[in-house]
Structures are given as structure tokens and as C-alpha cells.
Amino acid sequence: MTGERAQRIVDAMRASVATRGATGSTFEHVARDAGVSRGLLHYYFGTKERLLVEVARRDSETRVSALGEEMAGARTVDEMLDAMVSSLISAIENDSEVFLLVFELFSASRRNPEIRDELDKVFERSRTQLAEILEAKQDEGVVRLRTSAEGIAAHLLAVADGVALQILIAPQRDHAGAVAAVRLATRELLTG
């Protein structure tokens, strides 16, 4: 399902998860908030779990694509690191629902093999997209990857989720030291 209606449904589910959690987010809530019929949700997505995974897929693609755009003009490792940190902090501050949804889906995936398999596909696609960005920057001579692009991409995504979790749990705490440590470790991975 594509188009404006699909985006309204995805946005409504994301907002519902942020306020009600995955368990409390029903097709009834989402249909009402999106201004569509409940039957339409069943027709296009079948289950709430499939809709949740679709939200995560779209969010993930958007997030990695935006990071790629920010890093496209980077001519140094430091400019790449600036783009990565800026993208992460912006997502945490302005779109925390992305992380909340992934954390909810992770919990649900422990009990539901369908969610686990679909979430794995979402993560695999994100790793592949980010690895392609890193390989392109290596081809440009901006970085010298210390290990495989895929491995570094997996590391970066895991670290980003971990930092997001810490900041969302304790937003009042100063996380500058953690961000600086992540930046330093990432620099090592990108400079061979």
C-alpha cells in the first residue's frame, strides 16, 4: 500500500505505539486516528504485527536514507562522524517514536516468530543500506574501513539503538561522554 492514505496509517500506528505501546495499539485506534476503516487495515496488513513491522520498515528506510544524504557531501571522516552524530541526536530528540517502536517490536518478537522474521528483514535491509554508504565513502577515499562494511554497519546501528535507549530512559543525564566515546570508537573503525 502506497500513497497518502498509507502514510496516514503508518503515522497513526507510530503515534499510537508511542502513547499506548504495541499491545495497547489496536486497529480500532489506528483506523480512527488515520481516518480510515478498520476493514481497510485488515485488508492491506492482515494483522497488527504486520502493520507494526511496516512502520518499522518505513522508518528504518527513511532514517538510513536521510543519513546517507547527510553523509553524501562528507569529504573527511570527521564530517561523516558529524553527520552520524547529528542524525542520531536529531532522531532521538525529534522522532523518538522510531526507537520506541523498534524496542516494542523487539519485545514482541521474543514471543512471535512472524515479527522476529520480519524484523530481521528490516534490520538486514538497514545494515545493507548503511554498508553501501560506507563502501561508497571508501571508494571516494574518505574512509579506510578497518573491517567489513556490513560488520561496521551492524555495529553502528546497534550502538545507535543503545545510545538512544540510554538517552530516552534518562534524558536529564548528560550523555556527552557516551556520545564522545562512540564517536572515537567509530573513528577507529573508519580509519583503518
Side-chain angles (χ1 to χ4, degrees), residues 46-57:
T47 65
K48 178 175 79 171
E49 288 77 17
R50 286 190 184 136
L51 175 54
L52 287 166
V53 170
E54 177 62 15
V55 173
R57 184 189 66 73

Side-chain angles (χ1 to χ4, degrees), residues 26-191:
T26 65
F27 268 11
E28 194 69 39
H29 294 125
V30 174
R32 183 183 63 241
D33 295 346
V36 298
S37 72
R38 189 168 180 244
L40 185 71
L41 296 179
H42 282 287
Y43 178 76
Y44 281 110
F45 298 103
T47 65
K48 178 175 79 171
E49 288 77 17
R50 286 190 184 136
L51 175 54
L52 287 166
V53 170
E54 177 62 15
V55 173
R57 184 189 66 73
R58 287 178 184 225
D59 284 349
S60 178
E61 286 180 2
T62 299
R63 190 171 142 205
V64 175
S65 180
L67 176 60
E69 289 174 17
E70 285 188 47
M71 289 196 315
R75 297 292 166 234
T76 67
V77 171
D78 286 322
E79 289 176 2
M80 284 183 61
L81 291 168
D82 288 345
M84 287 182 209
V85 170
S86 159
S87 176
L88 175 60
I89 298 302
S90 176
I92 293 168
E93 291 176 350
N94 302 313
D95 200 15
S96 62
E97 291 85 7
V98 169
F99 297 102
L100 299 173
L101 175 68
V102 169
F103 300 148
E104 287 270 354
L105 281 172
F106 170 73
S107 294
S109 75
R110 308 265 302 141
R111 297 176 300 283
N112 185 319
E114 178 186 3
I115 294 175
R116 184 180 53 243
D117 293 344
E118 291 301 316
L119 195 55
D120 178 50
K121 291 174 189 172
V122 169
F123 287 161
E124 181 179 2
R125 178 69 184 133
S126 294
R127 283 189 306 271
T128 300
Q129 284 179 291
L130 186 52
E132 290 169 358
I133 293 167
L134 293 172
E135 287 170 344
K137 294 316 267 183
Q138 182 165 262
D139 291 345
E140 293 172 23
V142 176
V143 297
R144 244 180 40 233
L145 303 178
R146 185 163 282 218
T147 187
S148 73
E150 183 93 10
I152 292 172
H155 169 80
L156 292 174
L157 292 169
V159 167
D161 287 341
V163 168
L165 180 63
Q166 291 183 46
I167 291 173
L168 291 170
I169 286 174
Q172 74 287 356
R173 185 172 292 130
D174 181 6
H175 297 279
V179 172
V182 166
R183 185 182 172 107
L184 183 62
T186 302
R187 182 176 235 296
E188 287 296 313
L189 290 171
L190 301 180
T191 57

